[in-house]
mmCIF file of all heavy atoms in Angstrom:
data_model
loop_
_atom_site.group_PDB
_atom_site.id
_atom_site.type_symbol
_atom_site.label_atom_id
_atom_site.label_comp_id
_atom_site.label_asym_id
_atom_site.label_seq_id
_atom_site.Cartn_x
_atom_site.Cartn_y
_atom_site.Cartn_z
ATOM 1 N N LEU A 36 -5.435 -0.085 7.353
ATOM 2 C CA LEU A 36 -4.107 0.145 6.796
ATOM 3 C C LEU A 36 -3.428 -1.229 6.610
ATOM 4 O O LEU A 36 -2.682 -1.444 5.605
ATOM 5 C CB LEU A 36 -3.298 0.980 7.711
ATOM 6 C CG LEU A 36 -3.738 2.479 7.734
ATOM 7 C CD1 LEU A 36 -2.973 3.252 8.817
ATOM 8 C CD2 LEU A 36 -3.559 3.119 6.381
ATOM 9 N N GLY A 38 -4.877 -4.093 5.982
ATOM 10 C CA GLY A 38 -5.487 -4.658 4.772
ATOM 11 C C GLY A 38 -4.945 -4.102 3.485
ATOM 12 O O GLY A 38 -4.654 -4.813 2.550
ATOM 13 N N GLU A 39 -4.754 -2.792 3.500
ATOM 14 C CA GLU A 39 -4.251 -2.156 2.284
ATOM 15 C C GLU A 39 -2.771 -2.625 2.095
ATOM 16 O O GLU A 39 -2.369 -2.851 0.901
ATOM 17 C CB GLU A 39 -4.318 -0.655 2.425
ATOM 18 C CG GLU A 39 -3.815 0.137 1.228
ATOM 19 C CD GLU A 39 -4.653 -0.099 -0.041
ATOM 20 O OE1 GLU A 39 -5.803 -0.577 0.057
ATOM 21 O OE2 GLU A 39 -4.116 0.183 -1.066
ATOM 22 N N ALA A 40 -1.988 -2.718 3.127
ATOM 23 C CA ALA A 40 -0.639 -3.158 2.985
ATOM 24 C C ALA A 40 -0.498 -4.562 2.505
ATOM 25 O O ALA A 40 0.294 -4.931 1.673
ATOM 26 C CB ALA A 40 0.117 -2.988 4.353
ATOM 27 N N ARG A 41 -1.450 -5.456 3.033
ATOM 28 C CA ARG A 41 -1.465 -6.809 2.538
ATOM 29 C C ARG A 41 -1.837 -6.877 1.008
ATOM 30 O O ARG A 41 -1.233 -7.680 0.270
ATOM 31 C CB ARG A 41 -2.485 -7.644 3.323
ATOM 32 C CG ARG A 41 -1.993 -8.139 4.619
ATOM 33 C CD ARG A 41 -2.937 -9.147 5.234
ATOM 34 N NE ARG A 41 -3.117 -8.740 6.643
ATOM 35 C CZ ARG A 41 -4.174 -8.297 7.251
ATOM 36 N NH1 ARG A 41 -5.292 -8.118 6.578
ATOM 37 N NH2 ARG A 41 -4.158 -7.985 8.484
ATOM 38 N N ARG A 42 -2.791 -6.012 0.599
ATOM 39 C CA ARG A 42 -3.164 -6.092 -0.851
ATOM 40 C C ARG A 42 -1.961 -5.644 -1.665
ATOM 41 O O ARG A 42 -1.711 -6.261 -2.725
ATOM 42 C CB ARG A 42 -4.337 -5.106 -1.062
ATOM 43 C CG ARG A 42 -4.878 -5.126 -2.477
ATOM 44 C CD ARG A 42 -5.797 -4.000 -2.764
ATOM 45 N NE ARG A 42 -5.152 -2.631 -2.682
ATOM 46 C CZ ARG A 42 -4.359 -2.181 -3.617
ATOM 47 N NH1 ARG A 42 -4.106 -2.783 -4.736
ATOM 48 N NH2 ARG A 42 -3.814 -0.947 -3.588
ATOM 49 N N VAL A 43 -1.277 -4.573 -1.257
ATOM 50 C CA VAL A 43 -0.150 -4.107 -2.069
ATOM 51 C C VAL A 43 1.000 -5.090 -2.100
ATOM 52 O O VAL A 43 1.579 -5.344 -3.135
ATOM 53 C CB VAL A 43 0.376 -2.791 -1.490
ATOM 54 C CG1 VAL A 43 1.694 -2.407 -2.057
ATOM 55 C CG2 VAL A 43 -0.641 -1.692 -1.748
ATOM 56 N N ALA A 44 1.231 -5.766 -0.942
ATOM 57 C CA ALA A 44 2.258 -6.858 -0.817
ATOM 58 C C ALA A 44 1.916 -8.026 -1.843
ATOM 59 O O ALA A 44 2.802 -8.553 -2.467
ATOM 60 C CB ALA A 44 2.424 -7.283 0.570
ATOM 61 N N ARG A 110 7.833 -0.808 -9.141
ATOM 62 C CA ARG A 110 7.939 0.207 -8.169
ATOM 63 C C ARG A 110 6.655 1.103 -8.080
ATOM 64 O O ARG A 110 6.224 1.490 -7.045
ATOM 65 C CB ARG A 110 9.117 1.036 -8.488
ATOM 66 C CG ARG A 110 9.470 2.075 -7.473
ATOM 67 C CD ARG A 110 10.760 2.821 -7.837
ATOM 68 N NE ARG A 110 10.955 3.913 -6.905
ATOM 69 C CZ ARG A 110 11.891 4.835 -7.120
ATOM 70 N NH1 ARG A 110 12.631 4.819 -8.164
ATOM 71 N NH2 ARG A 110 12.067 5.773 -6.204
ATOM 72 N N ARG A 111 6.127 1.395 -9.219
ATOM 73 C CA ARG A 111 4.929 2.220 -9.299
ATOM 74 C C ARG A 111 3.707 1.600 -8.687
ATOM 75 O O ARG A 111 2.879 2.193 -8.012
ATOM 76 C CB ARG A 111 4.634 2.697 -10.742
ATOM 77 C CG ARG A 111 3.476 3.638 -10.924
ATOM 78 C CD ARG A 111 3.265 4.000 -12.412
ATOM 79 N NE ARG A 111 3.174 2.888 -13.274
ATOM 80 C CZ ARG A 111 3.993 2.623 -14.267
ATOM 81 N NH1 ARG A 111 5.118 3.354 -14.446
ATOM 82 N NH2 ARG A 111 3.823 1.572 -15.036
ATOM 83 N N ASN A 112 3.587 0.296 -8.926
ATOM 84 C CA ASN A 112 2.388 -0.497 -8.415
ATOM 85 C C ASN A 112 2.529 -0.861 -6.929
ATOM 86 O O ASN A 112 1.541 -1.299 -6.389
ATOM 87 C CB ASN A 112 2.258 -1.789 -9.204
ATOM 88 C CG ASN A 112 1.773 -1.462 -10.676
ATOM 89 O OD1 ASN A 112 1.267 -0.415 -10.961
ATOM 90 N ND2 ASN A 112 1.930 -2.445 -11.546
ATOM 91 N N ALA A 113 3.703 -0.714 -6.383
ATOM 92 C CA ALA A 113 3.888 -1.091 -4.925
ATOM 93 C C ALA A 113 3.555 0.006 -3.944
ATOM 94 O O ALA A 113 3.711 -0.119 -2.764
ATOM 95 C CB ALA A 113 5.328 -1.510 -4.748
ATOM 96 N N VAL A 114 3.009 1.112 -4.471
ATOM 97 C CA VAL A 114 2.634 2.259 -3.556
ATOM 98 C C VAL A 114 1.192 2.044 -3.131
ATOM 99 O O VAL A 114 0.311 1.925 -3.941
ATOM 100 C CB VAL A 114 2.744 3.592 -4.339
ATOM 101 C CG1 VAL A 114 2.293 4.731 -3.480
ATOM 102 C CG2 VAL A 114 4.202 3.805 -4.772
ATOM 103 N N PRO A 115 0.988 1.955 -1.811
ATOM 104 C CA PRO A 115 -0.398 1.743 -1.294
ATOM 105 C C PRO A 115 -1.319 2.939 -1.535
ATOM 106 O O PRO A 115 -0.815 4.085 -1.450
ATOM 107 C CB PRO A 115 -0.208 1.445 0.178
ATOM 108 C CG PRO A 115 1.123 2.081 0.528
ATOM 109 C CD PRO A 115 1.938 2.066 -0.735
ATOM 110 N N ASP A 116 -2.611 2.695 -1.701
ATOM 111 C CA ASP A 116 -3.558 3.766 -1.816
ATOM 112 C C ASP A 116 -4.183 4.006 -0.489
ATOM 113 O O ASP A 116 -5.014 3.246 -0.022
ATOM 114 C CB ASP A 116 -4.636 3.294 -2.902
ATOM 115 C CG ASP A 116 -5.670 4.401 -3.114
ATOM 116 O OD1 ASP A 116 -5.382 5.597 -2.734
ATOM 117 O OD2 ASP A 116 -6.702 4.132 -3.670
ATOM 118 N N LEU A 117 -3.792 5.074 0.104
ATOM 119 C CA LEU A 117 -4.252 5.420 1.440
ATOM 120 C C LEU A 117 -5.385 6.423 1.463
ATOM 121 O O LEU A 117 -5.789 6.895 2.549
ATOM 122 C CB LEU A 117 -3.081 5.930 2.312
ATOM 123 C CG LEU A 117 -1.945 4.898 2.501
ATOM 124 C CD1 LEU A 117 -0.832 5.603 3.332
ATOM 125 C CD2 LEU A 117 -2.436 3.666 3.180
ATOM 126 N N ALA A 118 -5.870 6.757 0.325
ATOM 127 C CA ALA A 118 -6.958 7.855 0.244
ATOM 128 C C ALA A 118 -8.231 7.433 0.974
ATOM 129 O O ALA A 118 -8.739 8.277 1.738
ATOM 130 C CB ALA A 118 -7.244 8.133 -1.213
ATOM 131 N N VAL A 119 -8.653 6.219 0.840
ATOM 132 C CA VAL A 119 -9.884 5.775 1.499
ATOM 133 C C VAL A 119 -9.682 5.732 2.995
ATOM 134 O O VAL A 119 -10.550 6.310 3.780
ATOM 135 C CB VAL A 119 -10.357 4.407 0.960
ATOM 136 C CG1 VAL A 119 -11.531 3.858 1.743
ATOM 137 C CG2 VAL A 119 -10.790 4.560 -0.581
ATOM 138 N N PRO A 120 -8.670 5.109 3.583
ATOM 139 C CA PRO A 120 -8.549 5.070 5.035
ATOM 140 C C PRO A 120 -8.378 6.469 5.633
ATOM 141 O O PRO A 120 -8.892 6.755 6.647
ATOM 142 C CB PRO A 120 -7.251 4.206 5.301
ATOM 143 C CG PRO A 120 -7.133 3.411 4.073
ATOM 144 C CD PRO A 120 -7.670 4.205 2.998
#
Side-chain angles (χ1 to χ4, degrees):
L36 289 173
E39 182 66 18
R41 278 189 224 115
R42 184 194 65 78
V43 169
R110 183 177 177 191
R111 183 178 55 246
N112 290 341
V114 177
D116 182 15
L117 299 178
V119 172

